[in-house]
Amino acid sequence: MANKIKIDNAVLKRLKRQEEKERIEFKKKRKFILIVCEGGKTEPNYFKSIKLTLPKNVLETVDIDIHGTGANTVKVVEIAEQKIEDAKRTRNKVFDSVWIVIDRDSFLANDFNNAIFKCNGKGYRCAWTNEAFELWYILHFQYRNTPMSRGDYKRVIEEEINRRGNEIGMFIDSKFKYKKNDENIYKLLARLGDENQAKENAKKLKALYIDEKFANHNPCTFVDELVEEIYALREEEEEEDE
């Protein structure tokens, strides 16, 4: 007969306290948002940084789940569906808003288009970018309405950040080198770029296209709409407090 593993009472009490704390915190939540990203780190890091700018009282009542997948376009939507089902089954959590974040990259046009169609059909919002998520960064500094290569994205980001940084003596010992998983990119863009300009530039790009051949809409991004929704949480909380 196998021996039963005895768990220390102190450990059991600690686990029970933790479960009770999570239960209370969960009950306080009034809104649930799910963000599932194609990228494993670049996009999640960016949106997690925005999340950290929200006031404490907002984070106490709004639950924002942010996940990186490292999967292809259509697979990202499937992963989101699974997370929605898991949340409903294990915690009876129903998301008020679901966002899928994907890039065109080198994926087939049909795969990219179908992923967006699938999002729309299921009522998900899609913060897609053609060609790469970094287009959103560039729009903080300049308007671009012609396609760019992957290398061009990196070059322009480095040039703009280094130029603005040098003007305020930010980069003295070394130059800024862009890395896709940079956890500080949001702070750099907030300090050196113009987010309102980025939003206006994104709107101007979207206005150039009227059809649903999304893979041909290059450059274009809907990241601004997800950013706006996260920021709007502050205003919603302020209105409820009045």
Side-chain angles (χ1 to χ4, degrees):
M1 184 176 179
N3 293 327
K4 291 184 179 180
I5 299 175
K6 187 176 181 181
I7 302 177
D8 186 87
N9 284 334
V11 174
L12 290 173
K13 289 180 180 178
R14 185 167 66 250
L15 291 173
K16 187 174 182 180
R17 286 197 300 270
Q18 181 62 31
E19 288 177 358
E20 180 64 13
K21 180 182 177 182
E22 291 178 357
R23 187 184 66 80
I24 293 173
E25 290 178 348
F26 181 77
K27 287 181 67 176
K28 289 171 62 178
K29 304 294 184 182
R30 295 201 298 266
K31 189 168 187 176
F32 298 89
I33 298 173
L34 175 66
I35 302 173
V36 182
C37 307
E38 171 196 322
K41 291 185 178 180
T42 301
E43 296 93 332
N45 285 347
Y46 178 81
F47 291 113
K48 286 176 182 177
S49 294
I50 295 182
K51 178 180 175 180
L52 291 175
T53 69
L54 297 176
K56 183 179 178 182
N57 63 322
V58 173
L59 293 176
E60 287 177 347
T61 58
V62 179
D63 185 77
I64 306 176
D65 285 352
I66 303 171
H67 301 275
T69 66
N72 63 40
T73 51
V74 177
K75 186 66 176 177
V76 176
V77 183
E78 295 174 358
I79 292 172
E81 291 178 294
Q82 188 60 56
K83 290 189 177 298
I84 292 168
E85 289 301 316
D86 290 344
K88 187 175 182 179
R89 185 182 68 254
T90 60
R91 303 194 67 181
N92 198 32
K93 180 195 293 186
V94 177
F95 291 102
D96 300 279
S97 181
V98 176
W99 283 86
I100 310 297
V101 182
I102 59 174
D103 296 351
R104 169 71 164 88
D105 289 327
S106 58
F107 294 115
L108 295 175
N110 282 342
D111 288 346
F112 184 68
N113 291 338
N114 288 336
I116 298 172
F117 287 137
K118 192 170 185 179
C119 285
N120 294 339
K122 291 185 173 295
Y124 307 159
R125 301 291 302 281
C126 191
W128 60 267
T129 302
N130 191 356
E131 173 113 357
F133 186 77
E134 284 82 359
L135 170 64
W136 171 243
Y137 299 165
I138 290 173
L139 295 180
H140 283 68
F141 304 104
Q142 56 181 259
Y143 175 69
R144 287 284 183 117
N145 61 3
T146 55
M148 300 171 64
S149 68
R150 306 289 294 181
D152 284 339
Y153 281 110
K154 182 176 185 297
R155 176 182 58 78
V156 173
I157 291 170
E158 290 179 346
E159 286 178 353
E160 291 288 0
I161 288 182
N162 278 306
R163 179 172 65 82
R164 306 288 180 98
N166 288 335
E167 290 175 356
I168 61 173
M170 192 172 181
F171 305 114
I172 299 176
D173 299 325
S174 61
K175 290 185 176 181
F176 168 79
K177 294 292 183 182
Y178 175 68
K179 295 180 181 179
K180 287 186 68 65
N181 60 355
D182 191 340
E183 295 182 354
N184 296 312
I185 191 67
Y186 174 78
K187 292 179 180 179
L188 282 172
L189 293 174
R191 183 174 182 185
L192 302 176
D194 187 332
E195 192 175 74
N196 288 327
Q197 175 181 302
K199 293 174 184 176
E200 288 303 313
N201 287 338
K203 291 175 183 176
K204 286 169 63 177
L205 288 177
K206 284 181 283 190
L208 297 176
Y209 310 101
I210 58 174
D211 59 46
E212 293 186 336
K213 298 177 180 178
F214 309 116
N216 296 332
H217 300 184
N218 185 10
C220 191
T221 184
F222 281 72
V223 171
D224 61 306
E225 296 184 5
L226 174 50
V227 172
E228 288 276 23
E229 177 162 318
I230 297 175
Y231 286 154
L233 296 172
R234 298 170 177 162
E235 298 174 7
E236 290 176 12
E237 190 67 25
E238 290 172 357
E239 290 175 359
E240 291 183 4
D241 290 340
E242 290 178 356

